[in-house]
Amino acid sequence: MLAARFHVETCFVHMAKNIPTTLPGTPPPEAAQTLLALLHAQGEVARLSEREQLFSSLLGSVNAVLWAFDWETRQVLYVSPAYERIFGRPASLVLADYNEWRDSIYPDDLEFAERSLAQVLLKGSVEDREYRILNADGQVRWLSDKCYINQQRDGDRVIIVGIAEDITEKKQLEGELQRLATTDVLTQSSNRRHFFECAQQAFDSAREDGTPLAFLLLDIDDFKRINDSYGHQEGDQVLQRIADSGKAVLRRGDLFGRIGGEEFAAVFPGCNAQVAEQIAERLQRHIQRLSFSHGEHSYGVTVSQGVTALSDEDTTLDSLYARADAAMYRAKRQGKNQIVRG
C-alpha cells in the first residue's frame, strides 16, 4: 500500500512540474485544478483510512462484544472482534444463525437472558443483564450484557444494539470475597456471623410455615489440654477434622458452622428433636473413630452435644440457642462425651 501511495504521489509531482505557471490574479489552468482536486481527494482517503485503522484497533482491544440484532428477523447484524475471543467461535457462525449465541448461554441462565432481552422493547434499554455462557472450550464465562433500542429506526424495523462485557474475573473476585466474609478460614465451615444469619432465616421460615426445626451445639472435650500438650498446630488439626466430620454426617440443607474456639453449631430444618438426636449420635460415633498422632503418641477426642427443637413458645432464635447451650453444659457436667436433649 505504501509503494502504491508513493507511486501516485510521484506521478502527482511529475504532473505538477509540467503545469505552466500563471500570472497573479488569473485562475489556475484546468490541469492544476485537477491536480489540486486529486491531492485533496487523496488526503481525504488517507484520513478515512487512518480513522478506520484506529477504529478497528480500538474495537480489537476492548474486552467486550459490540453487537446489533434485528428483532423481527432474529438475525445478528454485527459483532465486534471480541466475540471470537470471548466465545471462542467464528463470528461468521453467529452472523449466519442467532442460535449460535443463544445455544452458548448457560442453561440455567437462558430463560433470564431471553426475558431480559425482550424487556428492552418496553423500557428502551436494559442495563442489569448478567448471565453466563459456555465458550467453545467449555469454560464458564460471565457477561454483563447491556442493550438498547437503536434510536435511528428504519421504518418498522427494530434494531437492538448492545455491549456484552466479559466480567468473569470480577465475578470470581466477588465470589472469593463472599467466601472470605462467610467462611471460617481454619475449618472452611461457616463462621459465626454467617451461621447465625442463616440460622435466623431458617428459624423465621419454620415459624412462618409451622415446620419443625432443631438446634445443636457441640463442644470438644478437654480441648485446652490438647493445645497445652501437643501445641496449637495440633489443636488446629483437631478442629479441622471435627469440621470435616460435621460436613460428612449432616444432611443436605442442614447448617453447620464454627461459632467459637472449639465450639460448633448446627441447625436442622424440618427435624424434630428425636431426628436431630439421631443425627447427633451419628456425628458422635464418627468423631469417636477419629485418630490423631503426635510423635509417638496417639490419641482420640470426644465431644459434648446439646440438642433442642423449636416449640410454640420460642419467639426468637436466642431461646433455642440458650436451651441448646444449657443442654451442652449439662453434658459436660454429667461426664462429657454424651448428648443431652434440652
Side-chain angles (χ1 to χ4, degrees):
M1 178 176 287
L2 290 175
R5 181 175 176 180
F6 177 76
H7 175 70
V8 171
E9 290 175 346
T10 303
C11 290
F12 285 164
V13 171
H14 180 71
M15 290 173 60
K17 287 180 178 179
N18 290 280
I19 296 174
T21 58
T22 60
L23 294 175
T26 61
E30 184 178 349
Q33 294 179 19
T34 302
L35 175 58
L36 291 173
L38 287 172
L39 288 171
H40 177 74
Q42 184 204 21
E44 287 298 310
V45 169
R47 282 191 289 273
L48 285 172
S49 177
E50 290 174 358
R51 285 197 291 268
E52 182 180 352
Q53 291 176 7
L54 176 60
F55 184 64
S56 297
S57 177
L58 289 172
L59 284 179
S61 64
V62 173
N63 194 34
V65 183
L66 305 179
W67 54 269
F69 179 65
D70 188 319
W71 178 260
E72 299 299 330
T73 64
R74 315 300 285 178
Q75 180 184 1
V76 177
L77 305 176
Y78 172 79
V79 289
S80 63
Y83 174 83
E84 296 191 357
R85 184 166 64 250
I86 294 173
F87 283 73
R89 298 178 177 87
S92 59
L93 295 179
V94 75
L95 292 173
D97 184 1
Y98 162 66
N99 287 319
E100 281 290 323
W101 187 307
R102 183 182 181 278
D103 293 344
S104 68
I105 297 175
Y106 195 78
D108 291 347
D109 297 351
L110 179 59
E111 190 273 336
F112 166 75
E114 293 193 316
R115 174 168 45 82
S116 57
L117 178 62
Q119 287 177 348
V120 77
L121 300 177
L122 301 174
K123 299 180 178 180
S125 65
V126 177
E127 301 188 22
D128 57 353
R129 301 178 72 218
E130 291 185 0
Y131 58 87
R132 292 164 291 180
I133 63 165
L134 290 168
N135 68 11
D137 295 330
Q139 296 177 331
V140 177
R141 312 295 298 177
W142 272 97
L143 297 185
S144 172
D145 193 2
K146 301 175 175 62
C147 55
Y148 313 87
I149 290 286
N150 184 16
Q151 298 300 319
Q152 298 178 346
R153 300 190 183 184
D154 181 10
D156 293 330
R157 193 181 186 193
V158 178
I159 305 298
I160 301 174
V161 296
I163 177 168
E165 181 185 2
D166 187 340
I167 58 169
T168 304
E169 292 184 3
K170 174 187 172 185
K171 282 292 185 180
Q172 290 172 343
L173 178 59
E174 289 176 354
E176 179 62 15
L177 292 174
Q178 175 68 11
R179 187 190 68 80
L180 292 173
T182 61
T183 304
D184 177 64
V185 176
L186 178 63
T187 64
Q188 298 303 302
S189 56
S190 290
N191 60 25
R192 181 184 180 91
R193 182 181 62 82
H194 184 245
F195 173 83
F196 277 105
E197 286 178 355
C198 294
Q200 184 65 57
Q201 294 172 7
F203 176 85
D204 293 340
S205 296
R207 289 271 299 175
E208 182 178 349
D209 301 337
T211 54
L213 182 77
F215 195 104
L216 176 147
L217 276 179
L218 175 155
D219 190 86
I220 303 172
D221 295 328
D222 302 314
F223 184 72
K224 184 177 183 301
R225 179 176 55 81
I226 296 173
N227 278 333
D228 291 344
S229 300
Y230 307 120
H232 288 278
Q233 186 174 356
E234 192 72 18
D236 288 348
Q237 184 182 359
V238 170
L239 292 169
Q240 291 167 344
R241 297 281 297 278
I242 296 294
D244 291 342
S245 295
K247 297 169 191 174
V249 170
L250 270 64
R251 311 162 308 160
R252 184 185 299 272
D254 292 339
L255 307 175
F256 184 79
R258 182 186 177 200
I259 63 170
E262 65 267 28
E263 193 172 54
F264 294 83
V267 169
F268 307 115
C271 276
N272 57 30
Q274 182 178 0
V275 174
E277 194 167 348
Q278 292 172 359
I279 298 173
E281 289 171 354
R282 290 203 302 270
L283 180 57
Q284 195 94 352
R285 290 193 295 269
H286 194 282
I287 292 172
Q288 287 174 340
R289 290 195 293 267
L290 297 178
S291 178
F292 301 88
S293 61
H294 181 77
E296 298 179 356
H297 301 282
S298 297
Y299 64 96
V301 297
T302 62
V303 296
S304 297
Q305 300 185 72
V307 179
T308 192
L310 179 65
S311 69
D312 294 338
E313 290 74 31
D314 292 319
T315 58
T316 65
L317 178 65
D318 287 343
S319 60
L320 268 179
Y321 174 50
R323 203 158 58 245
D325 187 58
M328 184 192 69
Y329 277 102
R330 284 204 303 274
K332 292 279 191 185
R333 291 193 300 269
Q334 292 172 190
K336 304 175 184 178
N337 190 27
Q338 57 186 279
I339 303 163
V340 172
R341 188 191 301 186

